[in-house]
Amino acid sequence: MLLINIDHVGIAVHDLEAALAEYDRQYRVHPMHREVVESQGVEEAMIAVGGSHIQLLAPLAEDSPVGKFLEKRGEGLHHIAYAVADIEAALAHLRTEGVRLIDEEPRIGGGGARIAFVHPKSLAGTLIELVESP
Ligand code: CMX
Ligand code: CO
């Protein structure tokens, strides 16, 4: 299993417009991509930083993963996403190692990428997303 790079770092926010305005004011950066991903219950904005991205995430509903996270912990770091070449092989490997998966099969995420989440209780309280770009 090879982690190619950090595809993005996900940050949960209450208000996407307000967060983007602050990124612009403080760092003069703008989103290259915005998308509502109904299947994940989020509206997301991708800001390119070097070879990677910051993914700002605002919930579409209170009972969505990001909605629950905000209620429990407030705004902040939500997940780290690693790019992998073969997501099926990566999931098969983690399954063999007894790692607790959230997604047994890849789903379609933002930008049409195939994604899968690994439970934060599996490794240092960190929610991990695997991404295979199209
Ligand atoms: N990072 C670290 N820990 C987290 C977490 C996160 N993002 N989200 C929840 N947890 C912890 C909680 O604090 C809680 O810990 P304790 O038991 O110690 O209190 C535990 O996990 C269970 O949390 P919960 O509030 O009961 O939430 P659920 O179990 O219902 O859901 C999770 C947690 C990770 C399974 C769910 O958020 C999930 O399925 N996430 C994957 C999908 C997702 O996050 N989509 C949005 C991003 C989309 C994208 O990147 O494109
Ligand atoms: Co993500």
Side-chain angles (χ1 to χ4, degrees):
M1 160 120 135
L2 174 67
L3 302 181
I4 298 169
N5 62 20
I6 295 177
D7 184 85
H8 63 266
V9 173
I11 298 176
V13 301
H14 287 291
D15 181 337
L16 198 56
E17 296 304 332
L20 285 170
E22 277 304 301
Y23 264 87
D24 180 12
R25 189 176 72 82
Q26 296 181 34
Y27 297 104
R28 303 283 189 266
V29 291
H30 305 102
M32 48 178 277
H33 180 77
R34 273 182 78 153
E35 188 176 343
V36 171
V37 185
E38 296 278 356
S39 60
Q40 294 292 337
V42 293
E43 181 173 4
E44 59 180 56
M46 282 287 201
I47 299 170
V49 181
S52 193
H53 304 86
I54 294 295
Q55 179 184 56
L56 299 179
L57 299 160
L60 298 178
E62 277 176 24
D63 62 353
S64 64
V66 172
K68 284 168 69 178
F69 178 93
L70 285 168
E71 191 192 329
K72 232 177 182 172
R73 302 186 173 204
E75 294 187 314
L77 264 177
H78 184 260
H79 64 272
I80 296 192
Y82 296 116
V84 296
D86 182 343
I87 196 166
E88 312 276 3
L91 289 174
H93 164 77
L94 291 173
R95 218 174 275 124
T96 304
E97 292 296 334
V99 175
R100 183 168 163 194
L101 303 176
I102 293 171
D103 297 308
E104 291 291 336
E105 300 296 333
R107 307 204 222 179
I108 302 300
R114 300 211 300 155
I115 64 171
F117 285 88
V118 184
H119 202 279
K121 297 290 179 194
S122 294
L123 185 57
T126 310
L127 176 61
I128 289 176
E129 177 183 354
L130 302 175
V131 182
E132 184 189 307
S133 292

